[in-house]
Amino acid sequence: DVLGFNLLTPLGDYKKTIQQGINGSIWALIALDSGGYKMPVNTNAEIQATREMYINYILEHRTPDGGWAFSGSSADPDMTAMALQALAKYLNNDSVKAAADGALRCMSERQNENGGFSVQGTEISESCAQMLVALCEMGISYDDARFVKNGKTMLDNLMTYYVPQKGFKHTLDSTENQMATEQCFYALVAWQRFLKSESALFDMRDVYIA
């Protein structure tokens, strides 16, 4: 309730939410599940959304190699990680579990020898950050054998982008960057919460906002 407006209401409009593609369905699920909210009824929607519709949309838009991408037929680590974050609460569904397992295999194969991930041939910190969040959301340790390459974990790779007292870099040959800093920081928070056996990063039900 923000000045009388329910911010969740637009998520009840299926067509508008998926208008931008898979990104919409992913973040709609994450938003709804952040507080365990009921799907809002949107009386203006051409098609009333359900959680199942968003889950199925994600599952139906996998790439042939088993992951997800905003566009194209090859999985990219950022979108695959975000899809896994959205699906993490639905792993008791056999179809979701099978898709998640396939995506994890895909990302394990795509992981670089230094523990990081690349997009279109360029290694970036945000991809590593998103995959670290995905593992934490799924209850998988960052040092899971599938994601350790040459003794290097995602966390090891992530910290190579850190600029002391300033933030994180987008690429190793750049300077600190706001978006990279935001994503790497909340990835570290996700990892910290995982280590403490606290609720996952996007599970906000333990937070009271006055």
Side-chain angles (χ1 to χ4, degrees):
D1 181 354
V2 179
L3 298 177
F5 181 75
N6 184 347
L7 292 177
L8 295 171
T9 300
L11 302 183
D13 189 326
Y14 179 72
K15 287 190 69 175
K16 285 189 176 180
T17 300
I18 66 168
Q19 189 171 7
Q20 65 170 301
I22 191 172
N23 215 27
S25 55
I26 286 171
W27 287 98
L29 273 182
I30 290 174
L32 289 165
D33 292 337
S34 68
Y37 301 110
K38 293 181 179 179
M39 176 63 73
V41 174
N42 189 323
T43 57
N44 296 318
E46 182 177 338
I47 300 175
Q48 170 61 44
T50 65
R51 274 178 166 80
E52 290 73 19
M53 291 167 71
Y54 288 137
I55 292 170
N56 289 336
Y57 186 89
I58 295 171
L59 295 181
E60 291 165 2
H61 287 78
R62 281 174 290 171
T63 53
D65 50 8
W68 286 271
F70 189 76
S71 61
S73 58
S74 179
D76 76 67
D78 297 66
M79 195 57 64
T80 299
M82 292 175 191
L84 289 172
Q85 293 163 28
L87 296 175
K89 291 182 174 61
Y90 303 94
L91 295 175
N92 59 338
N93 177 307
D94 290 343
S95 296
V96 171
K97 181 66 165 58
D101 288 345
L104 290 172
R105 284 194 298 272
C106 177
M107 289 298 101
S108 176
E109 293 169 0
R110 296 285 181 86
Q111 188 180 21
N112 296 334
E113 292 302 305
N114 62 1
F117 294 89
S118 298
V119 175
Q120 296 181 346
T122 300
E123 187 174 285
I124 60 175
S125 62
E126 293 93 334
S127 295
C128 188
Q130 291 300 331
M131 277 303 302
L132 182 57
V133 173
L135 290 191
C136 293
E137 289 284 324
M138 298 176 73
I140 300 172
S141 177
Y142 75 99
D143 59 356
D144 182 281
R146 292 170 291 181
F147 293 99
V148 179
K149 301 295 189 293
N150 290 324
K152 300 294 184 180
T153 67
M154 293 182 204
L155 185 62
D156 292 323
N157 181 264
L158 193 72
M159 294 310 297
T160 64
Y161 295 91
Y162 178 56
V163 181
Q165 308 303 317
K166 292 185 177 181
F168 286 82
K169 299 182 286 186
H170 173 62
T171 58
L172 287 175
D173 60 355
S174 62
T175 58
E176 66 275 5
N177 170 281
Q178 181 178 343
M179 181 178 291
T181 299
E182 290 171 355
Q183 294 191 29
C184 293
F185 179 61
Y186 73 66
L188 292 176
V189 172
W191 171 64
Q192 183 183 55
R193 295 185 68 82
F194 176 82
L195 288 181
K196 293 181 176 180
S197 299
E198 296 176 339
S199 59
L201 180 71
F202 292 124
D203 185 348
M204 304 297 291
R205 288 174 294 181
D206 61 336
V207 179
Y208 173 73
I209 302 175

